[in-house]
Amino acid sequence: MYWYLAGAVAAAAAAWTLRKKFPQKKKYYESALAVMVSFLFAAVLWQMDLALQEEWQIPRNHPGQGTEEREYSIDAEGVLQGYPMEVQIEERKLTEAQCQEYFENAKQELDALILGENPSLEQVANPLYLPEALQDGAVEAEYQFSDYDTFGPDGALKIEPKHPITVEVTAELACQGRSCLYSFFVQAVPRQKSPQEGFADQIRSQIMAENEKEGEDSLSLPQKVGGKEVHWEQKTENRSIKILFLGIAGAIGILVSEKEEKKRREAERQRQMLLDYPEIVSKLSLLLGAGMNISLAWEKIALTYRKKRDSQEIEARYAYEEMLGTLYEIQEGIGELQAFGNFGERCSLGDYRKLSSLIVQNIRKGAKGMQQLLDEEAWDAFEQRKARAKIAGEEAGTKLMLPMIMMLAIVLVILMVPAGLSLGL
């Protein structure tokens, strides 16, 4: 214990020192305090454990609380050294007089509990409450009825009596091997019905009388009961509400699916445009190197694409369609600066905006250095394309993990089941 206290004092001194020297480092101070508190708790727990280790008189549980188990280490001079033993500590044993006192208290407790929602034992119209344990578990109880046609084993009424019925209830009470019988009587009575229930019973009676008539092809529902007019309306399932909810759910589903489809198409568009970007930059660089200016190179690429698309040699490509759109804008009279700027905005991708910026800069300041810039951009684009392909491959491998695990499980079953059957397992 002294070591724990010394550790707590050292931690407290460290906390005080840290607070003085590093007031801005609050975490250091709090950490030292946490160490100090842990040392103090350790000292308290060590003292408690020591007290438990030296205990040789163990208090027993109260009746009904059950048996307790503890593990001990035994040292016996010259015989045992650290011998482990598990000790069962039975609950406190009662004398004959104490058991009788528990029985009497259990009877009084049962008299109060068994009523449940009933006002008294002479007016039982609701289920009885039959507790299995009394006196905090010290006394166990089992029940028997003299008339099981009226009461079920759980104390619930099996029928609704037309007149009062007296039934004997016997409770067998048990406490630590001793037992006694406690018998009493309950009276099942008809349940007090509300005016609405009584009127409904009158209607049922008239319907039963109608059903008993012979030679009738139809059942006549009573129109007047007890001097009161009765109107009948058959309950039918309101299918229109279900159809309405289904329609609303369908509309929501359509909206959600349309939104998801739009997101999917946009993702596919961006993927395809990023895939075509290195090729477009490489073609522009190649045509510039052949002596064309940027506008002629752009027109050459766009028109070549349109020719192949119209002849169905290739499918439509988003990036090339945007290039055609830029060409059409220039042919309609829009300035080249504006047209190439619109191209970058329509593509809405960083790579294409960068290409648009390079072309606009080339038109404004001249073609000097444009060839080198496009060569560098083409190289970077191809490197990014390889990186994206690598990531896509890794994602595909991850998606294949679950099918591979399932296939492995199937193979193991195919191998292990015949082996187990052959061994008689």
Side-chain angles (χ1 to χ4, degrees), residues 254-264:
I254 291 172
L255 292 175
V256 172
S257 63
E258 183 180 358
K259 186 177 180 181
E260 291 298 320
E261 179 63 20
K262 185 177 179 181
K263 288 172 61 177
R264 188 194 65 79

Side-chain angles (χ1 to χ4, degrees), residues 134-200:
L134 299 164
Q135 294 297 295
D136 296 329
V139 179
E140 297 177 352
E142 294 183 358
Y143 304 89
Q144 294 181 349
F145 291 87
S146 62
D147 183 0
Y148 281 102
D149 292 332
T150 304
F151 286 95
D154 58 351
L157 283 166
K158 298 177 70 175
I159 60 171
E160 185 172 343
K162 305 287 186 184
H163 53 80
I165 300 176
T166 302
V167 178
E168 183 181 10
V169 182
T170 302
E172 183 179 356
L173 306 178
C175 178
Q176 292 190 355
R178 300 178 178 89
S179 62
C180 75
L181 297 178
Y182 176 47
S183 299
F184 51 92
F185 292 90
V186 299
Q187 184 171 257
V189 297
R191 186 171 60 87
Q192 293 295 327
K193 296 183 179 180
S194 65
Q196 292 82 4
E197 291 176 325
F199 190 78

Side-chain angles (χ1 to χ4, degrees), residues 210-229:
E210 286 289 328
N211 278 320
E212 293 297 326
K213 291 182 179 179
E214 298 178 353
E216 297 289 338
D217 294 332
S218 60
L219 173 69
S220 298
L221 297 175
Q223 304 296 310
K224 202 168 186 178
V225 178
K228 298 182 183 300
E229 296 286 340

